[in-house]
Amino acid sequence: MTEVETRDRSAIAELVRLFFAAFTSGPDLPERLEAMRRTLLPQAVIVRTGGGEPAVYDADTFIGPRRELLSGGRLTDFSEWQVSGRTEVFGDVAAHFCGYAKSGVQDGTPFTGQGMKSFQFVRTGAGWRISAVAWCDEQES
């Protein structure tokens, strides 16, 4: 792997880390959400799938409800993290597909879950940015 490829993969891994780190209850939530916002292109598309019609968000419509949920007291001890993943880079585009897990307490009830996320990245003058994210939580059988 060349030095450029190593730097590209490192930069993309950091964007994925910042994205997941934003979704943790507790202190510094505004700073973590802002750091995640900076990983996104302004026109990024974020899609939740699984069980019905996909829900499509832009950065603001995605971050706003999550900020409220993570700071409103109904969801506590929440975190979400990557458990596996792979990245493909070609020129100025890249993709990262990963499994993730999550746990927390919502309305007093502990829960866990897992799923898959697909990230699309583009290289900009300011470095790599997320252009799209789609995810699907594992559905109960």
Side-chain angles (χ1 to χ4, degrees), residues 70-123:
L70 289 165
S71 64
R74 290 185 52 222
L75 180 62
T76 58
D77 299 324
F78 182 77
S79 64
E80 185 174 274
W81 61 95
Q82 178 177 234
V83 294
S84 64
R86 68 180 184 276
T87 301
E88 298 292 331
V89 180
F90 182 84
D92 293 337
V93 298
H96 182 77
F97 193 66
C98 65
Y100 66 92
K102 61 185 175 178
S103 67
V105 178
Q106 187 162 8
D107 297 326
T109 303
F111 70 92
T112 61
Q114 59 187 10
M116 299 296 286
K117 282 192 177 155
S118 173
F119 294 84
Q120 300 296 311
F121 302 88
V122 295
R123 188 190 318 266

Side-chain angles (χ1 to χ4, degrees), residues 22-91:
F23 303 107
T24 302
S25 54
D28 303 325
L29 177 64
E31 293 82 3
R32 285 183 280 109
L33 286 172
E34 185 54 36
M36 189 270 295
R37 178 188 295 279
R38 288 189 305 268
T39 71
L40 301 167
L41 283 177
Q43 307 84 355
V45 176
I46 304 159
V47 181
R48 178 190 44 80
T49 65
E53 287 299 310
V56 180
Y57 307 94
D58 63 18
D60 291 332
T61 59
F62 177 70
I63 293 171
R66 282 147 188 87
R67 179 188 323 271
E68 175 60 32
L69 186 60
L70 289 165
S71 64
R74 290 185 52 222
L75 180 62
T76 58
D77 299 324
F78 182 77
S79 64
E80 185 174 274
W81 61 95
Q82 178 177 234
V83 294
S84 64
R86 68 180 184 276
T87 301
E88 298 292 331
V89 180
F90 182 84

